Amino acid sequence: DAVTNEDRFTVELEFVQSLANPRYVHFLASKGVLRDDRFIAYLRYLRYWERPEYAKFILYPHCLRFRRLLLDDAFRVAMENPRNAERAFKAQFERW
């Protein structure tokens, strides 16, 4: 079956929004995903979600900040530590 543009939009929206969850980001780090150059390229590709015509569909705007932060090597390494993920989660929760 061919993937439709609507399917791709839905999957990419769901994925980019999942980046708002520091625990999920830590899970990706613990599996080595954040060290994969293909994943970093995908994060760069997902930059289009910051454009207003796409951003209006995002329910969890923290995901855009996390997407940008994940382009930084030091942040990706920091998210391998579960304490850092919990600190980010707590700070995020307190902000809400």
Side-chain angles (χ1 to χ4, degrees):
D1 291 327
V3 175
T4 66
N5 285 337
E6 184 178 332
D7 291 340
R8 184 171 140 197
F9 175 87
T10 302
V11 168
E12 290 178 359
L13 174 60
E14 184 175 329
F15 177 74
V16 80
Q17 289 194 106
S18 72
L19 298 177
N21 183 337
R23 290 174 177 162
Y24 178 65
V25 172
H26 168 69
F27 169 79
L28 294 175
S30 71
K31 298 298 181 190
V33 174
L34 301 186
R35 293 181 181 265
D36 188 327
D37 290 336
R38 293 170 298 175
F39 182 74
I40 306 311
Y42 186 59
L43 290 173
R44 286 188 184 103
Y45 159 76
L46 292 173
R47 183 178 356 199
Y48 75 89
W49 284 100
E50 297 191 22
R51 297 193 331 234
E53 65 268 28
Y54 292 98
K56 68 183 179 184
F57 296 101
I58 291 180
L59 300 176
Y60 308 105
H62 285 148
C63 70
L64 298 176
R65 177 73 174 138
F66 272 89
R67 189 207 61 82
R68 286 189 302 272
L69 287 169
L70 284 166
L71 295 175
D72 180 71
D73 291 336
F75 182 77
R76 289 194 307 272
V77 169
M79 290 307 288
E80 292 177 7
N81 184 327
R83 288 188 200 129
N84 291 332
E86 285 306 309
R87 262 184 280 210
F89 183 81
K90 183 178 181 199
Q92 187 180 55
F93 181 78
E94 289 173 359
R95 177 118 169 104
W96 284 338

